[in-house]
Amino acid sequence: MNSFVGSVALVRHPEDEENRWLLKWSDTELQYRMIIAKRLEGETYRECLDREIAWELELRQNRDYLISNMSRLHIEEILQLDDECHGTFFLLEFFAVDL
């Protein structure tokens, strides 16, 4: 069974913090998507997201943005994607991020 263990950034809009979120356009997927980071061995969920935000948005860690200390949502679920016969196990932590 496939699996994904990582974090998702809930990048808040400065004026509408709980209702509008930043999405990034993907030229290869031709769709908007949230910033998602796969957790590497030895990393915390927060650390992997910190790494990915800095890389994807070309921002300086601990200077251009803040990540909440605690996750807002935890999901641990097997999801059946369209092209899969066995499903994928997802373990995700969602963190609020302020630019």
Side-chain angles (χ1 to χ4, degrees):
M1 176 180 297
N2 294 327
S3 67
F4 182 88
V5 176
S7 298
V8 178
L10 298 171
V11 184
R12 298 192 277 203
H13 187 281
E15 296 161 6
D16 194 4
E17 294 180 345
E18 299 299 329
N19 296 313
R20 293 175 61 188
W21 309 97
L22 173 75
L23 301 176
K24 187 173 182 217
W25 178 256
S26 170
D27 288 329
T28 56
E29 298 168 7
L30 299 176
Q31 65 184 3
Y32 287 99
R33 62 178 183 78
M34 296 180 126
I35 296 171
I36 298 173
K38 188 167 188 171
R39 192 176 76 146
L40 303 176
E41 188 175 331
E43 279 185 322
T44 66
Y45 291 94
R46 189 176 182 280
E47 288 170 342
C48 75
L49 195 56
D50 198 16
R51 167 183 44 81
E52 199 67 20
I53 291 168
W55 182 76
E56 281 205 38
L57 298 180
E58 298 177 8
L59 298 174
R60 293 168 293 178
Q61 293 174 321
N62 302 319
R63 189 165 183 175
D64 293 329
Y65 61 91
L66 297 171
I67 301 175
S68 62
N69 288 327
M70 306 258 316
S71 68
R72 293 289 182 100
L73 179 64
H74 172 89
I75 295 178
E76 199 167 332
E77 190 74 40
I78 296 173
L79 299 174
Q80 188 80 28
L81 303 177
D82 290 340
D83 59 342
E84 293 182 324
C85 54
H86 298 296
T88 298
F89 172 74
F90 285 91
L91 195 155
L92 297 169
E93 295 282 337
F94 291 74
F95 289 85
V97 177
D98 293 304
L99 300 178

